[in-house]
């Protein structure tokens, strides 16, 4: 697993940035940048937007698909999408909270990784019919910092509005970098 994560790490930004516009536009642009196809794109497609070109080029450089351009600033390069770890708790399944939360992330062009899940079955063997809550730790990605803030704001609003889910959303502190060995 560690070897797979190490191999995938440099590719993570590329995986996401190839979907910054409608597929296959960024892929065709990347293939041209890599020298695998000529410049140009046929109708009805349009060229990759100029605002996205540095992001995709940076992701290609990070992945080792193209050489770094001389004089290119590190700020122009892609180091992946900004992310935030969140803890979503409540009646995730009973009230559809998890489905709605993941829909919000995807509809805002974000992405997510499920880091941990804790599911407790409802107690249906007692006269109280106790409903237990579940929790999920998510790493949520936005295409940029403002998109990440918007996703987080929308998730908070969902938790606030869907009272029957008895939900809560907590922003988890960033993990500190491990000290060098």
């Amino acid at each position: 697993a560690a070897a797979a994560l190490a191999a995938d790490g440099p590719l993570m930004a590329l995986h996401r940035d190839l979907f910054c516009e409608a597929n296959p536009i960024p892929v065709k642009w990347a293939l041209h940048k890599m020298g695998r196809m000529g410049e140009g794109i046929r109708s009805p497609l349009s060229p990759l937007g100029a605002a996205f070109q540095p992001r995709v080029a940076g992701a290609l450089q990070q992945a080792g698909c193209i050489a770094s351009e001389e004089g290119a600033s590190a700020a122009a390069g892609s180091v992946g999408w900004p992310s935030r770890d969140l803890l979503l708790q409540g009646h995730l399944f009973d009230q559809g909270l998890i489905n709605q939360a993941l829909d919000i992330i995807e509809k805002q062009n974000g992405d997510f990784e499920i880091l941990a899940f804790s599911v407790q079955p409802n107690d249906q063997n007692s006269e109280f019919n106790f409903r237990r809550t579940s929790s999920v730790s998510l790493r949520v990605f936005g295409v940029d910092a403002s998109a990440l803030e918007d996703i987080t704001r929308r998730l908070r609003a969902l938790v606030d509005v869907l009272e029957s889910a008895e939900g809560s959303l907590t922003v988890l502190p960033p993990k500190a970098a491990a000290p060098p060995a």
Side-chain angles (χ1 to χ4, degrees), residues 15-37:
H15 293 164
R16 290 188 170 86
D17 288 337
L18 286 177
F19 293 92
C20 64
E21 281 193 355
N23 193 20
I25 294 169
V27 173
K28 288 182 176 281
W29 187 90
L31 287 170
H32 166 69
K33 194 79 171 158
M34 293 168 58
R36 302 286 184 173
M37 67 177 278

Side-chain angles (χ1 to χ4, degrees), residues 32-157:
H32 166 69
K33 194 79 171 158
M34 293 168 58
R36 302 286 184 173
M37 67 177 278
E39 189 173 18
I41 198 164
R42 65 173 172 74
S43 284
L45 301 176
S46 59
L48 180 65
F52 295 112
Q53 292 177 14
R55 166 186 268 157
V56 177
L60 287 168
Q61 291 167 3
Q62 182 179 326
C65 297
I66 62 173
S68 296
E69 296 175 13
E70 284 191 43
S73 72
S78 176
V79 293
W81 291 9
S83 67
R84 175 175 293 142
D85 290 355
L86 303 173
L87 176 64
L88 180 63
Q89 296 174 296
H91 297 288
L92 302 181
F93 299 99
D94 299 5
Q95 301 300 318
L97 182 58
I98 187 70
N99 297 43
Q100 293 180 56
L102 299 181
D103 283 348
I104 285 172
I105 295 166
E106 290 181 341
K107 285 180 181 173
Q108 300 309 310
N109 298 314
D111 200 1
F112 63 90
E113 293 175 11
I114 295 176
L115 305 174
F117 229 120
S118 174
V119 180
Q120 300 292 326
N122 289 333
D123 180 5
Q124 298 182 14
N125 294 327
S126 74
E127 60 190 76
F128 299 110
N129 196 16
F130 182 70
R131 291 177 42 202
R132 294 185 176 103
T133 59
S134 300
S135 64
V136 61
S137 296
L138 298 167
R139 178 159 298 136
V140 177
F141 298 87
V143 295
D144 56 31
S146 65
L148 183 58
E149 287 299 323
D150 181 54
I151 291 169
T152 304
R153 182 185 55 75
R154 289 172 185 266
L155 291 173
R156 284 193 194 284

